[in-house]
Amino acid sequence: MDDETFPEEDIETIVKNAITSTLSDNMYNPKKVNDWINTIVDSCLKELQSLNRPFKYVVTCVIMQKNGAGLDTGTSLSWDIAKDGVVCIPWENPTMHVILMVYGTGLNVDPAEME
C-alpha cells in the first residue's frame, strides 16, 4: 500500500479493536459513556499515529442506548478524494449502538500545485 493512500483497512481494524476491547462485555451505563468514548477515541488516535502515515485524523464517537429511539447522522465533506478519506464503523450489542467515524486529511501538498 502506498504511504500516501488513506489506510482504510488498517483504520477499520484499529476502530473495531478499540470498540470491542472497551465495550464488548459492558451493558449500557450512562455514568460510564463519557469514559468509554474517551478510551475508544484515545486508543484510535494512538494507533492511527503509530501508522506513521501523512494524515491528520479526526475521530468522532457516538454511543446511544438501545431503547427504540431513532438516530440519523449525516456528513458532508469537501476535500481531495484522491488523498483524503473517511471510515464509518457501526457497532452494537444488546444494550447500545455505537457509530465511530475517522476522517483523514492528507498532509502532503503536491509540489506542482504550489506553482
Side-chain angles (χ1 to χ4, degrees), residues 52-67:
N52 292 320
R53 304 294 290 280
F55 291 92
K56 282 188 178 182
Y57 298 101
V58 175
V59 179
T60 65
C61 181
V62 174
I63 297 177
M64 179 179 169
Q65 182 178 13
K66 274 190 179 179
N67 61 7

Side-chain angles (χ1 to χ4, degrees), residues 41-105:
V41 169
D42 289 347
S43 174
C44 288
L45 286 172
K46 286 176 187 170
E47 291 296 317
L48 291 167
Q49 286 179 323
S50 75
L51 294 175
N52 292 320
R53 304 294 290 280
F55 291 92
K56 282 188 178 182
Y57 298 101
V58 175
V59 179
T60 65
C61 181
V62 174
I63 297 177
M64 179 179 169
Q65 182 178 13
K66 274 190 179 179
N67 61 7
L71 172 66
D72 297 305
T73 65
T75 301
S76 178
L77 307 165
S78 176
W79 59 15
D80 183 345
I81 60 171
K83 295 181 182 178
D84 306 328
V86 63
V87 172
C88 177
I89 302 293
W91 182 91
E92 63 183 81
N93 71 12
T95 64
M96 63 183 121
H97 297 283
V98 178
I99 300 173
L100 197 135
M101 303 281 291
V102 176
Y103 304 88
T105 58

Side-chain angles (χ1 to χ4, degrees), residues 8-56:
E8 189 170 325
E9 290 178 8
D10 293 336
I11 292 171
E12 287 179 6
T13 300
I14 288 168
V15 168
K16 288 175 183 176
N17 288 341
I19 294 170
T20 56
S21 68
T22 304
L23 298 177
S24 63
D25 295 328
N26 288 302
M27 304 307 271
Y28 183 83
N29 181 337
K31 293 178 182 177
K32 294 184 178 182
V33 169
N34 285 335
D35 290 337
W36 290 338
I37 289 172
N38 289 334
T39 299
I40 292 167
V41 169
D42 289 347
S43 174
C44 288
L45 286 172
K46 286 176 187 170
E47 291 296 317
L48 291 167
Q49 286 179 323
S50 75
L51 294 175
N52 292 320
R53 304 294 290 280
F55 291 92
K56 282 188 178 182

